[in-house]
């Protein structure tokens, strides 16, 4: 029960124990717990960030959908107006073409009429000359009145 | 001395036998082998357990023993932080943890039946064996004195030598009672390690003694009718004291730790913080 050299032995043992406990128990466990604390904090902030990013992405998705809808509407309107345009154009073209064809045909008819008229007038003049000749054969020399007959023919 | 158990007399001898260390050497140079052996074995147990937990630490989902160790660790850390606050000292927490766990385990030896280990060792030729290292004044005073040395060291380190001397001169009664202050502060400072060591020693020694007294009830009893009374009584008393003593050993280990932290915390307070 007396204080003996055991005191110093125990003191050395105590110091050694403090060192050993620190080396094998305190240091690894407290650093591990610190790492865990860090990991939890990181995880929490990451989830917070993820939530924020999700919100942003949702907002962007809504924006993109809205834009796409607008664009689609615009395209549809454009297509509609373009189709009307094409129809109008086609109609106009057709009209113009038909008018052209009609005009051509009328011109052709005109020419035909003209030609027929000329032919007819020629023939009439010939007929008239012939008739006149026959009439005048007895009274007028053809050669003398040719100029007035030709003038007559031209007038016809 | 083995005859004591059989002769029926000699209760004093029985108790004295149990309070004698297994030792080598004479006078001051006595080495209490039982104290050193048991405390070192318990220390090795702590280190071994620490290594086992430390080898496969689970950061994500700890389980079983690791949970328990973490709980103890955080408990000690809270105690240290409560006392130290921002003043960080990497030595204090491991020191406090060592005190708590080691002292608790050494106290725990008290709960082993008083005659079991001495009787077993008697068979291999060891006549005296005190199982509880904390019933040896050398153990408790060794720890208390080391804490005292640390207290003085940190007092001087934090306050400076002048500050430390000032503490003796002007504390607690101001500058007009310097001689009284010196005596008062010296007593106060010296009382710290002495009370720290003696408290633990006294509690454990008394606890051990009560176990011995309970064991005395049937010491040397012969097979007779009276044994029918004494034997159940001893069992009941033993269990009751055992349960109570679980509280005592835990409380004493806790007190030793808290006082260690508090004394060292006081050493870290500078003059202007008073």
């Amino acid at each position: 029960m007396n204080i003996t050299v055991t005191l110093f032995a125990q003191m050395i043992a105590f110091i050694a124990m403090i060192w050993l406990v620190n080396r094998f128990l305190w240091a690894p466990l407290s650093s591990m717990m610190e790492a865990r604390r860090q990991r939890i904090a990181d995880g929490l902030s990451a989830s917070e960030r993820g939530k924020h990013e999700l919100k942003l992405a949702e907002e962007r998705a809504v924006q993109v959908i809205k834009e796409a809808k607008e664009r689609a509407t615009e395209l549809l309107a454009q297509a509609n107006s373009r189709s009307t345009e094409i129809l109008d154009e086609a109609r106009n073209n057709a009209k113009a073409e038909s008018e052209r064809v009609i005009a051509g045909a009328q011109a052709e008819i005109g020419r035909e009429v003209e030609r027929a008229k000329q032919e007819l007038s020629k023939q009439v003049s010939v007929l008239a000359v012939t008739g006149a000749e026959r009439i005048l054969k007895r009274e007028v020399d053809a050669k003398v009145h040719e100029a007035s007959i030709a003038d007559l023919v031209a007038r016809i | 001395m083995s005859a004591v158990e059989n002769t029926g007399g000699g209760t004093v001898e029985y108790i004295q036998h149990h309070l004698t260390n297994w030792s080598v050497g004479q006078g001051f140079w006595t080495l209490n082998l039982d104290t050193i052996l048991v405390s070192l074995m318990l220390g090795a147990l702590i280190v071994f357990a620490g290594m086992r937990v430390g080898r496969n630490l689970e950061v994500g989902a700890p389980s079983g023993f690791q949970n328990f160790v973490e709980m103890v660790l955080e408990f000690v850390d809270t105690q240290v932080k409560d006392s130290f606050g921002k003043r960080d000292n990497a030595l204090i927490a491991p020191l406090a943890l060592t005190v708590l766990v080691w002292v608790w385990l050494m106290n725990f030896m008290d709960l082993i039946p008083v005659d079991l280990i001495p009787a077993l060792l008697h068979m291999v030729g060891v006549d005296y064996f005190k199982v509880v290292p904390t019933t040896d004044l050398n153990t408790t005073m060794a720890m208390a004195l080391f804490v005292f040395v640390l207290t003085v060291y940190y007092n001087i380190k934090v306050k400076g030598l002048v500050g430390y001397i000032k503490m003796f001169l002007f504390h607690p009664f101001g500058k007009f009672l310097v001689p009284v202050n010196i005596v008062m502060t010296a007593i106060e400072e010296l009382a710290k390690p002495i009370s720290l060591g003696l408290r633990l020693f006294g509690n454990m020694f008394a606890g051990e003694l009560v176990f011995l007294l309970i064991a005395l009830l049937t010491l040397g009893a012969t097979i007779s009718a009276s044994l029918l009374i004494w034997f159940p009584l001893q069992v009941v008393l033993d269990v009751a004291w055992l349960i109570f003593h679980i509280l005592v050993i835990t409380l004493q280990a806790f007190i030793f730790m808290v006082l260690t932290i508090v004394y060292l915390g006081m050493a870290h307070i500078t003059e202007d913080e008073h």
Side-chain angles (χ1 to χ4, degrees), chain A residues 21 25-26, chain B residues 72-73 76 92-102 257:
Chain A
V21 164
L25 201 61
W26 184 269
Chain B
V72 175
L73 227 78
V76 173
I92 307 302
L95 169 69
L97 181 67
T98 309
V99 167
L100 181 71
V101 180
W102 203 30
M257 178 192 77

Side-chain angles (χ1 to χ4, degrees), chain B residues 110-131:
Chain B
D110 219 356
L111 302 183
I112 295 172
V114 279
D115 278 315
L116 183 64
I117 292 175
L120 286 175
L121 285 168
H122 180 70
M123 289 178 204
V124 295
V126 178
D127 281 331
Y128 297 94
F129 203 88
K130 264 174 84 178
V131 191

Side-chain angles (χ1 to χ4, degrees), chain A residues 51-83:
Chain A
K51 223 184 266 173
H52 184 65
E53 268 166 15
L54 180 67
K55 216 177 104 194
L56 284 184
E58 269 169 1
E59 273 168 13
R60 226 181 45 224
V62 167
Q63 185 67 25
V64 164
I65 287 170
K66 210 177 107 195
E67 271 170 16
K69 263 183 191 159
E70 272 168 12
R71 181 106 184 89
T73 315
E74 197 181 299
L75 278 177
L76 209 62
Q78 259 178 22
N80 274 339
S81 70
R82 180 88 188 101
S83 77

Side-chain angles (χ1 to χ4, degrees), chain A residues 1-11 14-15 17-18 20-22 24-26 28-29 32-33 36 39, chain B residues 28 30-32 39 43 50-51 58-59 62 66 70 73-74 93-95 98 102 138-139 141-142 145-146:
Chain A
M1 196 137 358
N2 305 315
I3 295 290
T4 66
V5 73
T6 312
L7 178 90
F8 297 99
Q10 288 296 84
M11 212 187 264
F14 184 49
I15 294 165
M17 271 307 293
I18 295 167
L20 286 169
V21 164
N22 185 37
F24 290 109
L25 201 61
W26 184 269
L29 259 97
M32 183 274 293
M33 280 154 90
R36 175 190 298 157
R39 215 165 97 174
Chain B
F28 175 74
T30 312
L31 213 52
N32 295 340
S39 57
M51 284 167 88
E58 192 81 45
V59 180
Q66 193 190 328
E70 279 182 22
L73 227 78
E74 271 183 344
L95 169 69
T98 309
W102 203 30
N138 290 304
T139 307
M141 285 315 289
L145 281 178
F146 181 63

